[in-house]
Amino acid sequence: MTTPSWDWAYKEAGQAPWDIGRPQPAFARLADDGLLAGRVLDAGCGTGEHTLLAASAGADALGIDLSPLAIERAREKAAARGIKARFEVADALNLADLGLTHDTIIDSGLFHVFDNESRARYVRSLASVLCPGGTCYLMCFSDRQPGTVGPRRVSEDELRSAFGDGWTVLSVVADAFDLVPSAAGLFGTASAQAWRATIERG
Ligand code: SAH
C-alpha cells in the first residue's frame, strides 16, 4: 500500500488546497442539472462537500475516504447542517468490500492521486460497484495546468484510455478546481486546470 493516511491534510481546516469548504463549482452545476441522483457514491470524499451536495439534492448519498479524520469532519458537517448523508472510512481500491451498488459515482480529485498500477485497480473497483448504465463524474488535475506544484497531471488521452475497457467516455471537458486562498499563492492562480469527464459503465 503506497497511499499515506492522508490525515495530515485534515488536521486544520483550510490546510488542504482542495478543501474549500463548499462544493467545486463543476459539481454544483451537475447538481443543478439534476445529475447527482439515485444511490450516489462520493469516492475520496474528503470532508464531504460533494456527498452533502448530492444528499441535499435528494440523493441517497454515501461518502468514503481513507482518512478517518476527513470522515469525522464530514460527519460533523452533516450533523451541523442537518443533512442526511452517510460517511465511512474505506479504500476506493476495494469498493466491492462495501457490498453496495450505486447509480452514480462522484470523483473530485481522487483519480489523479493514483500511480499507474493503482489507477487500473481503481477503475476496476469503480466498475465493481456501479450499476450497468450508471455514470461516473470525475474531475482530475489536467496536463494543461502549468508547473509541478500539486498532484500528478493527467492528459485527456490517459483519462480516456484508463476507462477504455467496459466503459463509454461520454465527454471530457476542460474545467477547473477552485483552491483555498492560501494555495492560490502557491499555484499562481485561484483555480487549477482540470479535466471533467462523464463516463458511463457499459
Ligand atoms: N473529494 C474531496 C477530496 C479530494 S483530495 C474534495 O473534493 O474535497 C483526495 C481525497 O482522496 C483525500 O481526502 C484522500 O484522503 C482520499 N484518498 C486517497 N487515497 C484514497 C483511497 N485509496 N481510498 C479512499 N480515499 C482515498
Side-chain angles (χ1 to χ4, degrees), residues 147-201:
T148 54
V149 175
R152 176 182 181 187
R153 274 58 170 164
V154 178
S155 72
E156 182 178 349
D157 280 355
E158 273 180 285
L159 186 50
R160 286 183 179 278
S161 69
F163 288 91
D165 215 7
W167 298 83
T168 305
V169 179
L170 298 176
S171 64
V172 179
V173 296
D175 213 310
F177 279 106
D178 276 6
L179 304 167
V180 298
S182 58
L186 210 64
F187 287 88
T189 45
S191 61
Q193 300 289 328
W195 293 119
R196 183 171 51 77
T198 303
I199 309 159
E200 197 177 87
R201 206 198 132 197

Side-chain angles (χ1 to χ4, degrees), residues 18-76:
W18 60 85
D19 192 28
I20 58 175
R22 61 180 191 282
Q24 290 290 338
F27 284 92
R29 290 194 302 272
L30 293 176
D32 288 346
D33 291 345
L35 296 173
L36 304 183
R39 295 161 298 175
V40 173
L41 174 70
D42 183 4
C45 65
T47 62
E49 289 297 338
H50 303 112
T51 319
L52 295 169
L53 174 73
S56 302
D60 171 14
L62 168 67
I64 66 104
D65 201 284
L66 210 52
S67 161
L69 201 46
I71 292 301
E72 198 180 310
R73 300 261 186 276
R75 287 178 177 154
E76 285 166 4

Side-chain angles (χ1 to χ4, degrees), residues 95-115:
L95 289 170
D97 290 355
L98 294 168
L100 298 169
T101 304
H102 306 276
D103 304 299
T104 309
I105 295 180
I106 297 170
D107 171 339
S108 174
L110 177 58
F111 178 84
H112 63 213
V113 312
F114 296 122
D115 61 20

